[in-house]
Structures are given as structure tokens and as C-alpha cells.
Amino acid sequence: KAFMAEARKLGKARALAAPKLAASITQAMQNLGMQGGQFQVQLQALDEPASHGLEEVQFLVAGHAGSTPRPVGKVASGGELSRIALAIAVTTSQLGTAQTLIFDEVDAGVGGAVAETVGRLMKQLGKDRQVLAVTHLPQVAACAHHHLYVSKEADSEGTSSSVQVIDTDARVQELARMLGGNGLSETSLAHAREMLQP
């Protein structure tokens, strides 16, 4: 009887919170290269009570306008999944207790202004927790507080990876390389310096 009372209370709270959460995440998706995309929180009543209550919570997503929302794990690509995770993290950033967030190529398939938005959102999240991001875009890398350069080397023994912290000058060069390839020009170096300005 006590369980049912608490479970019903939880169900009512979920019913109130679900549309608000869905609207907030849908709004965040619009700025992350998923214009027209939609996020839904579906509450499905269970036949039998469970340890987590009387309903199953499922996240549904439509990556673009005109598509039907389906379970997030079945329709989202890796890049979309990372951006949806970023939208959720930003929307709920004051609620969660996770002290480290890891994004693997959250910027896949985007560029320009969207990439800059992704970088700024991750920087915002980094104010009260640790955020680690793997990126190939200079707009995202320029927003980081620290920049680590990962490289691979192959020899007769096999392949090894190394990670190196890069300082301001090396960081400018790395951003310039990300902008314009291996041939560093004064233009790409100047652009990289500009990107690192607060």
C-alpha cells in the first residue's frame, strides 16, 4: 500500500515533468544542427508494478522535420546521439550529479555556427563539472580550457597512441592545422589566435 502511494506520486510528477523536459530538449536540438527535430518522453503504463514505479520511461527522437519519433537508440546516428546527449546534459545540467561528461565526436556532421554552438555549450557545462570531448573541429577545440593532442605511431612493434598537453603557442598551431591543413599560413595562424580570444 505504501509502495503504491509513492509510485502514484512519482507517476504524477513524471507526467508533469515529461512535457517540460521534452520541450526544453527539443529547443536545444534546434541549435545543434537538428532543425525541425523533436524529442519526446513517453510514459508507458506497466502491467505490473516495478522497482522504478508504475510506468516505463522511454526517450523518443525525430532527428529532422517530417520524421516519426522513435526510440533514441534505434534512429540516431553516433553524432546525433552525442548531440542529443549534449542537449539533455545542458537542459538538466543543474539536476545531475555526474561530475564527468564525455562526448565522442559530438560535432560529427556539423560545421560553422553549429560547431561553435556545440563548443560554447560544452564550455558552459564545464563550469561546474569536467567535460572531455574528442573533436576534429577547431570551433569546438577553441572553446576548451585545456587542449590535448592525441597522435598514433606505427612501427615494427605495432601501433601506439600518445597524448600530449599543448600550450598556447602549440595550440595556435594545432588550431591552424585543423583550419587549413598541414601547410600553416599566416592567415590560418591569425584565425586560430582570434578563435582563442575570450
Side-chain angles (χ1 to χ4, degrees):
K1 190 173 178 180
F3 169 86
M4 291 302 290
E6 290 302 315
R8 287 191 190 101
K9 193 188 300 181
L10 176 61
K12 286 179 184 175
R14 283 175 172 157
L16 286 173
K20 294 176 187 173
L21 178 65
S24 295
I25 293 171
T26 295
Q27 182 57 47
M29 287 169 62
Q30 308 312 302
N31 299 321
L32 293 170
M34 303 178 82
Q35 290 84 354
Q38 189 181 10
F39 186 89
Q40 294 179 1
V41 180
Q42 184 180 73
L43 301 175
Q44 182 70 41
L46 295 171
D47 294 333
E48 296 288 330
S51 61
H52 54 272
L54 302 175
E55 56 275 321
E56 191 73 52
V57 180
Q58 189 170 41
F59 292 160
L60 307 178
V61 67
H64 51 81
S67 59
T68 304
R70 293 178 46 208
V72 69
K74 293 186 178 179
V75 295
S77 67
E80 284 179 333
L81 200 55
S82 288
R83 276 178 273 152
I84 291 165
L86 178 58
I88 293 169
V90 169
T91 302
T92 62
S93 61
Q94 301 308 313
L95 305 176
T97 56
Q99 291 306 300
T100 301
L101 299 172
I102 301 171
F103 296 102
D104 185 10
E105 298 193 20
V106 68
D107 47 34
V110 301
V114 174
E116 190 176 335
T117 300
V118 168
R120 281 191 288 104
L121 288 174
M122 284 195 284
K123 187 171 189 171
Q124 176 187 328
L125 284 175
K127 288 181 179 175
D128 56 2
R129 67 197 68 207
Q130 178 176 246
V131 176
L132 302 174
V134 176
T135 184
H136 295 284
L137 292 182
Q139 297 96 323
V140 174
C143 291
H145 295 105
H146 304 283
H147 193 145
L148 306 176
Y149 178 75
V150 181
S151 60
K152 285 185 181 179
E153 288 183 18
D155 56 27
S156 58
E157 305 275 320
T159 303
S160 62
S161 298
S162 63
V163 181
Q164 177 184 358
V165 179
I166 54 178
D167 62 14
T168 307
D169 291 337
R171 190 172 182 196
V172 167
Q173 291 187 6
E174 177 56 17
L175 286 176
R177 186 198 62 74
M178 293 170 86
L179 284 163
N182 288 329
L184 300 180
S185 68
E186 249 335 293
T187 304
S188 62
L189 288 166
H191 189 184
R193 285 188 203 96
E194 183 181 336
M195 291 177 79
L196 288 172
Q197 296 302 312

